[in-house]
Amino acid sequence: MSGTMFDRIWDSHAIADLGEGWSLLYLDRLLVHDLSGGRAMRELAEKGRRVAEPNKVFAVPDHAISSAPGRTEHTYPKGAALLASLRERSKAEGVRIFDIGTPGNGIVHVVGPEQGIVLPGLTLACGDSHTCTNGGMGALAFGIGSSELVHALATQTVPQRRPGTFRIRYEGVRPAGVTAKDMILAAIGRFGAAAGTGMAMEYAGSAVRAMSVEERLTLCNLSIEMGAKTGMVAPDDTTFEYLAGRPFAPKGATWDAALADWRKVPSDPGARFTRDEAIDMAELAPQITWGTSPEMVSDVTGHVPTLEDTVPSRRAGLEAALRYMGLEPGQKIAGTKVDWVFIGSCTNSRLSDLRAAAEVLKGRKKAEHVTAWVVPGSEQVKADAEAEGLHHRFREAGFEWREPGCALCVAANGETVPSGARCVSTSNRNFVGRQGTGARTHLASPAMAAAAALAGAIVDVRSY
Amino acid sequence: MEAFRIVEGTAIPLMEANVDTDVIIPIQRLVGSGREGLGEFAFERRRYLPDRSDNPDFIPNQGPYKGSGILLADENFGCGSSREGAVWALMGMGVRCVIAPSFGDIFFSNCFQNGLLPVRLPIEAIRRIAEQTEESPGNARTTVDLERKVVITPRGETIPFAVDDRKREAMLDGLDDISLTLKQADAIAAWREQDRTERNWAWESVV
Ligand code: SF4
């Protein structure tokens, strides 16, 4: 047999063929968060149904929680009602909740891998598009909508249409200053924000094999920004070492049985993909977005495109994006003044991200006019970072060290970048208004974000 | 779910690519509110001027397009966040059908869960509908017929579109997926039982 990892996991979880490419898929794990979890469980109860398998469901409040130091659930009162409903419904249904301020809390997609909830070869769904992050563990993980979530809670299954497969092989050695974030942003820039529509991505190649699990999670996180249903990296010894001993990872003899299965997960050497592309690592440089879609991205040494560079049908879109971003066609990107820096989100808020940012600071101070935040991805990340003194290094550089959650990534918790202000952000979406009405977002890696804070402007991290 | 058979009216030519769900409904509007009343906030950031009056530059605000049930767009409509509120907001402003060359995956599924029909057509066909509409927006009627799986342009050209039978039938009848799936309860139970012996590790670690 010569199949892809994606097809293997899909086939082994398809309970029924619903015709025309649709399957009823079994879900090994289901994650819910505060924005839709309580509401979905309430809707379920209104339909007279119960959660089918509560022990496979995990509730993680993260979106509408303040990240202010010393926050409580009441710091952002609008979120408190969502949290109360998530708590109440989780308790009534027997669903585990990682409540705020307790171990295991954090951004739902940070918590899944960190707690060993997501494992290689599993299927996992969550009512959030960045569920694809979890594919970095070698799982089939995808986001679903609220109605699908109610369905999943009621049946532990979800009808899905089988996507095609799209492999990107990153070959070669990573040049200095290039991170997982740059690798995926470059791919989105090259192939487009809709290139993955109807596809499951697999990231492979020597540069991916050499990556840590945390980096693979970052890589998979932006699969949805290419329009893909999911992104995956084959599980290997790096994955298994990462998982060993995590709270919900198998133990003892069960671990041995799991490991034997996990080794069979990767795509076969001769596997065929619907689309297969290669990226030569030697061509990559640190990336920064300049527009309002993640595909509007460039090497940090680059320029904003001119109207002439752009196909006529896209010119209006380019003009609108530049008007919003306050940039001129053809202008050099580096040197653009920055007001805010946000290090956080399910893309880049893990321990290695914080270390990379702190490394750039090297005892220096942020530019006076910049507001800089670090929002660790989870309680665990925060504790680990504090144990090695990272919080001191950030504070000494003039950054705010905050509480875990989605925070400025989506501004659902009342925290926003002011209108017109320019923010270098380690998150995944630079959409109009994403970080607040009128906020201008430039996506970049944690190291690039730290360098921008020091310089008070977009700069090439390689010269820092 | 609201059943869907046919919708007719002036198509709104919002011919932009990558219209994301953050633009369709800002997340702040989904904190602490249900699906009712979201129509007022659809495209909020573009639709209103600072004094909350209609922004005349925003095409769906313009005379013949206002309140129309058919929206035209360029590729990757509804990309981004999985928020189903985007569908609720569009329906709340009167949209029952979006025609685009491609859609964000989750948005596309969400549409079918609620009775908003997403139709994929080649961009050339959508441009023709837009052009024929713009010639005389007040009189240009487009029809989307789910039963016959066709779009009829203002000049009477009939363009077929593809839609999964499963989704089409559920939408024509306004049927909910859960009841369909629960007809398979025996198959689910059998699958689980077998999986429990074959992949005990996937069960053990969360008991
Ligand atoms: S950090 Fe941002 S992208 Fe990730 S789950 Fe939270 S809001 Fe979504």
Side-chain angles (χ1 to χ4, degrees), chain A residues 86-305:
Chain A
L86 186 68
R87 276 180 188 150
E88 188 266 320
R89 285 287 96 206
S90 297
K91 188 154 177 254
E93 298 286 352
V95 164
R96 285 185 188 88
I97 179 166
F98 295 110
D99 214 329
I100 61 163
T102 68
N105 181 255
I107 304 171
V108 61
H109 314 306
V110 173
V111 164
E114 169 194 289
Q115 297 295 315
I117 293 168
V118 53
L119 303 169
L122 295 191
T123 51
L124 174 148
C126 171
D128 188 280
S129 58
H130 290 97
T131 308
C132 54
T133 313
N134 295 279
M137 306 297 301
L140 170 50
F142 51 89
I144 54 179
S146 316
S147 300
E148 287 177 313
L149 176 59
V150 178
H151 182 287
L153 289 164
T155 64
Q156 200 64 26
T157 68
V158 71
Q160 292 288 300
R161 190 184 185 152
R162 187 192 210 108
T165 51
F166 183 175
R167 178 170 64 177
I168 300 180
R169 284 168 295 129
Y170 290 92
E171 301 291 358
V173 180
R174 222 194 289 179
V178 172
T179 69
K181 180 68 159 289
D182 303 297
M183 289 164 67
I184 189 65
L185 282 174
I188 298 169
R190 191 172 297 189
F191 304 123
T197 306
M199 295 284 183
M201 309 298 302
E202 178 172 340
Y203 305 103
S206 56
V208 174
R209 296 260 64 81
M211 276 182 165
S212 70
V213 165
E214 296 192 353
E215 290 173 318
R216 295 174 186 181
L217 296 171
T218 300
L219 196 61
C220 289
N221 177 268
L222 277 94
S223 302
I224 183 74
E225 299 335 315
M226 218 175 329
K229 176 151 212 80
T230 188
M232 310 172 81
V233 172
D236 58 10
D237 288 337
T238 307
T239 322
F240 311 145
E241 275 161 35
Y242 172 92
L243 276 172
R246 302 218 169 234
F248 290 93
K251 313 257 162 14
T254 325
W255 169 270
D256 297 336
L259 196 58
D261 279 358
W262 294 346
R263 292 204 188 277
K264 295 182 223 147
V265 169
S267 297
D268 298 313
R272 296 271 194 118
F273 293 80
T274 319
R275 183 173 177 188
D276 207 355
E277 298 277 356
I279 291 180
D280 178 359
M281 291 299 296
E283 291 171 7
L284 297 188
Q287 302 289 298
I288 183 103
T289 65
W290 47 262
T292 54
S293 160
E295 71 181 12
M296 295 173 162
V297 64
S298 156
D299 289 358
V300 65
T301 49
H303 295 74
V304 173

Side-chain angles (χ1 to χ4, degrees), chain A residues 62-63 107-109 128 130 221 345-346 406 409-410 428 434:
Chain A
D62 55 2
H63 280 69
I107 304 171
V108 61
H109 314 306
D128 188 280
H130 290 97
N221 177 268
S345 89
C346 58
C406 296
C409 170
V410 67
N428 43 41
R434 171 84 177 180

